[in-house]
Amino acid sequence: MPDSFQNLQVIILAAGQGTRMRSALPKVLHPVGAKPMLAHVIDAARGLNAKAIYVVYGHGGEAVKQGLSEQAVNWVLQDKQLGTGHAVKQAMPLLDDEQTVLILYGDVPLIRQETLRLLVKAASRHTLALLTAHLPDPGGYGRIVRNNTGAVMRIVEEKDANDSQRGIKEINTGMLAVNVSLLRQWLSRLNDNNAQGEYYLTDIIGMAAEDAIEIDTCQPSSLFEIEGVNNKTQLAEIERAYQRQQADVLMQQGVTFMDPDRFDLRGTLIAGQDVVIDVNVIIEGDVVLGDGVYIGPNNIIIDSTLDDNVTIKPNCMVALSRVAKGVEIGPFARVRPGTELGENVKIGNFVEIKKSNIASGSKVNHLSYIGDTIMGENVNVGAGTITCNYDGANKYQTLIGDNAFIGSDTQLVAPVAVGAGATIGAGSTISHDAPAGKLTLSRASQKTREGWKRPVKKQRSKSP
Ligand code: UD1
Ligand code: CA
């Protein structure tokens, strides 16, 4: 059982404008793995079982609240962005004293719960816990200033730093955990007397050192955890780091990737044993894959369940569907929402299935559209068969009984039913029910004209 921190309060700073994203969307709503960055941070905080989560918002305020409306958090408005210290101060009236507060950032989405646990455990009435990192290129970050015994003395922002301080490679990630009443005292003493004219949260570190509060530092296990997003390049880098992390978790669970760097999970994937995923696969929403499922290259699977030993050949899209054991789909097939495919069904190339129920053993192998259809077992649908399910105003259903054989290039004009064991001759337009067990066809009879001659091209006189 991981620790839960029932008295912990969390503040997430998310009021910054994010000008460098050059977007109408507030920065913290930009998605990583299809989930807003801020939602990643909120989920990490929630994973600690914190007592309350406060999100300080400002820029694009209403949009941020609406974008995350399903999140049970307390919203705190920071009207003007006067600095990180000022932002934290806005939430302080809502916080209970004598407990720990953890400060996080809405634009640093990949922070891991394990790292936060270390930080929170290190904080106490006498100890402030600070998350720092050692970077070969510390440019832009606040630097951790230590004395000759190694104790942290203060943080100096890059813009306020002298040359020797700029050489310090240990940086402030911004994340920290501290006792609420201590923080309250220090925040009341902040001023904006610095290079940026802002109320720096980082100034509380110097105050803690002066007040003889111990400053304990922890480090994240991976650097991507502390990376912030300020522009689209960083957003893309974070997306790749996140996707790789997800692929790693799936590989630990036994999933085989032909190339984990060419895989995107935008939601959740539950995978059985011996699942193989080829390159350029996108999984969206909630997807469940049974044992032995093979997903070929260039497939998109959305909110679907694929049972054991399903094979998806290259270049297919499967959405909001249920696919039973042993089914083969593709290449180049589209299985649309509301479809249920029974065991060992085969859906071949250039086939579109919509809101249809196809029972076990049936085959739709080539160039077909099957929509709003209930199809029995072991039906064979010939190439080019189309259910005409739409009259321009309404949709109608097609019923096809067990063991029916639909000849190639048939149009089934719904509403229409084909009985069990019926055979439909190729090229038929079926607009009345076809009885079970019989051959039905609608086809002009074939004629051959005796003495007919193929036209011959007229000889034109050559132009001078
Ligand atoms: C801050 C730290 C710096 C650290 C860096 C880590 C301070 C003074 N400096 O610098 O030491 O190395 O983060 O990335 O804290 N925000 C608000 N309201 C404000 C200002 C900021 O909510 O008035 C939020 C932003 O949305 C952002 C976070 O606070 O999520 C950090 O703000 P930012 O301006 O990016 O701080 P840095 O200058 O990067
Ligand atoms: Ca920043």
Side-chain angles (χ1 to χ4, degrees), residues 20 27 107 230:
R20 281 172 289 163
K27 175 159 87 171
D107 57 356
N230 296 308

Side-chain angles (χ1 to χ4, degrees), residues 150-171:
V152 174
M153 300 309 291
R154 60 196 196 95
I155 293 175
V156 58
E157 291 303 302
E158 173 154 288
K159 287 185 178 138
D160 301 284
N162 60 35
D163 284 349
S164 80
Q165 289 166 332
R166 280 205 189 97
I168 298 171
K169 303 267 194 265
E170 188 183 8
I171 62 101

Side-chain angles (χ1 to χ4, degrees), residues 13 15-16 78 81-84 87 105 107 141-142 157 172-173 200 202:
L13 301 188
Q78 185 195 22
Q81 281 72 59
L82 302 179
T84 48
Y105 295 78
D107 57 356
Y141 288 96
E157 291 303 302
N172 172 34
T173 68
Y200 289 168
T202 43

